[in-house]
Amino acid sequence: MQKTCKERIQEEYQDRLEQIQTEEDPPFLSFDYVEPNTFEGQNIGYYRYQMGWGGPSDEFRKYDNKDFIEYWFLDWFDGASIVVKDADVINLVNDFINNYN
C-alpha cells in the first residue's frame, strides 16, 4: 500500500528544496492567483507557485489571510501541507508575488 501524502510530504519537500538550491532554474510549471471560492470549501484566495501537476502534484501557496508560505503535496484524493521556513523558498515565492502584482 502506498504511503499517504502526510507520510511522504517531508521527503517530497526536501527533494524540491534541493532542486531550488542547486539547479540553475528552479522547478516551475505555473504561477497564478486562485480566487476565493474557486474550489468547494475554499473561501480564501491564494497565490500558487506550481511545480508539478497530475498525480502527484506539488505547489507553494501564500493565502491572503496568512503571513507565511505553505508547501502542498497532493496525490489524487489525498493531500498534506507544511509551513515553509527556508529563506530560498520564501524569497522565490515572494518574488513571483511581487512581480505578479
Side-chain angles (χ1 to χ4, degrees):
M1 183 172 201
Q2 187 170 342
K3 292 180 181 179
T4 66
C5 287
K6 187 176 180 178
E7 293 169 325
R8 298 165 59 194
I9 193 167
Q10 287 296 335
E11 182 178 343
E12 298 292 337
Y13 175 72
Q14 289 304 316
D15 288 347
R16 283 301 191 191
L17 181 59
E18 183 177 330
Q19 287 179 317
I20 289 168
Q21 293 173 334
T22 61
E23 293 182 5
E24 186 174 326
D25 293 318
F28 177 76
L29 180 64
S30 69
F31 181 82
D32 60 350
Y33 180 76
V34 179
E35 295 286 338
N37 303 308
T38 299
F39 304 109
E40 186 176 330
Q42 177 244 328
N43 301 332
I44 299 164
Y46 60 91
Y47 291 94
R48 173 174 58 187
Y49 181 103
Q50 200 169 27
M51 296 165 286
W53 181 81
S57 63
D58 62 337
E59 61 196 40
F60 295 112
R61 295 181 185 178
K62 185 166 186 188
Y63 286 88
D64 290 342
N65 67 342
K66 296 181 181 175
D67 291 332
F68 54 86
I69 295 167
E70 296 176 340
Y71 171 75
W72 281 80
F73 181 72
L74 308 151
D75 196 5
W76 293 98
F77 300 103
D78 188 21
S81 68
I82 56 173
V83 174
V84 172
K85 297 182 180 174
D86 299 285
D88 292 331
V89 173
I90 293 167
N91 292 336
L92 174 70
V93 175
N94 281 332
D95 284 348
F96 268 84
I97 291 171
N98 291 335
N99 289 327
Y100 187 82
N101 290 324

